[in-house]
Amino acid sequence: MKDWRPFRRLVTGVALVATPICLFAAEAAYPGHPQEDGEELIALAARETTQIHVAAILWFVAVLLMIPAATTAMRLTRDRSALTASLGGGLLVVGYVCSLMPLIMAEVAVGINNYDISLTPGGRLIEDSQIVLDAMFILFALGNLIGTPLMGTAMLRARVVPVWAAAVFIAWPALHITGLVSDVRWFAVVGFALQIPAFGLLGLSVLRGERESGSEVEVAVVDRARIAPIGA
């Protein structure tokens, strides 16, 4: 039977390293802020089409990678902090999946501009979806504001990363709130950078084979038991 554990370590290790880097790059590349109304978003899409496409692709990749990254972090911290890790990782995944909606609307704004729809009806078309957009943004904010400190706390308790790395990971929600209140997106850019050390160091340890989940340890024990000589 083929052993898929090395392949899984490769995938999950790369996901942990790449996820915060992609989030940071996407936030830095996006030319606007998350609180534009419909007309502002269309005008922004007309001026900065390429940057919006780049940010959308990077963010989409980051969200895909967040799923194995968060579940791996949950698995590696569950022995000492099962409930905290499960809640934190689950909220992170839900929050980042919901965060795709605003970027989808930014791409819609690019399409509206390409079809030469005037600002007012185009803006109303986007704002007609504002209830759904607001709901998705609230879920993303909750995933960040609650899920991030819970996951950081789980990593801190499990000692899977240095204390300083877990501490700066936990500090990101404070910058998130500051950015939302001030409407200055560079707080978010710095905040995403704070996630790089914890996820990155955890990912590197996974790639080096230094971190194994409980299930992997159990499989290794069973494998050793199968090949051990009788009476050993």
Side-chain angles (χ1 to χ4, degrees):
M1 183 176 180
K2 188 174 180 61
D3 185 1
W4 289 98
R5 282 173 291 167
F7 177 73
R8 185 172 72 173
R9 282 198 297 269
L10 176 63
V11 172
T12 56
V14 169
L16 280 162
V17 173
T19 296
I21 295 175
C22 288
L23 289 172
F24 169 74
E27 190 67 27
Y30 188 73
H33 56 81
Q35 299 182 39
E36 298 108 343
D37 61 25
E39 292 188 18
E40 290 173 338
L41 185 58
I42 294 172
L44 176 67
R47 297 192 310 268
E48 307 289 356
T49 302
T50 300
Q51 283 185 263
I52 287 178
H53 287 328
V54 170
I57 292 171
L58 287 169
W59 193 273
F60 179 70
V61 171
V63 171
L64 289 180
L65 293 174
M66 176 60 78
I67 297 172
T71 53
T72 301
M74 291 163 58
R75 190 171 68 246
L76 296 176
T77 56
R78 67 184 180 187
D79 289 342
R80 295 189 180 181
S81 193
L83 179 59
T84 304
S86 298
L87 289 175
L91 285 170
L92 280 178
V93 171
V94 170
Y96 280 100
V97 169
C98 290
S99 74
L100 288 172
M101 182 61 75
L103 280 177
I104 291 172
M105 295 311 298
E107 291 291 342
V108 170
V110 172
I112 289 173
N113 178 69
N114 289 340
Y115 282 101
D116 199 26
I117 300 175
S118 64
L119 284 179
T120 300
R124 288 176 180 171
L125 176 64
I126 290 176
E127 289 169 8
D128 283 344
S129 304
Q130 198 60 46
I131 294 177
V132 176
L133 286 173
D134 288 344
M136 296 297 99
F137 186 78
I138 289 171
L139 287 174
F140 166 61
L142 289 176
N144 243 348
L145 298 179
I146 301 175
T148 300
L150 287 176
M151 179 53 67
T153 301
M155 289 190 287
L156 185 63
R157 288 179 177 175
R159 297 293 190 268
V160 294
V161 296
V163 172
W164 66 267
V168 296
F169 189 91
I170 294 170
W172 155 224
L175 289 177
H176 190 173
I177 293 173
T178 304
L180 291 176
V181 172
S182 65
D183 200 20
V184 177
R185 72 182 187 87
W186 285 100
F187 283 106
V189 175
V190 175
F192 283 121
L194 294 181
Q195 298 186 68
I196 293 175
F199 265 18
L201 290 172
L202 185 57
L204 290 175
S205 68
V206 169
L207 290 171
R208 290 194 294 261
E210 297 171 1
R211 300 289 176 188
E212 287 187 321
S213 69
S215 60
E216 287 174 325
V217 173
E218 290 166 4
V219 169
V221 170
V222 171
D223 288 344
R224 286 196 296 271
R226 286 174 178 170
I227 63 175
I230 297 176

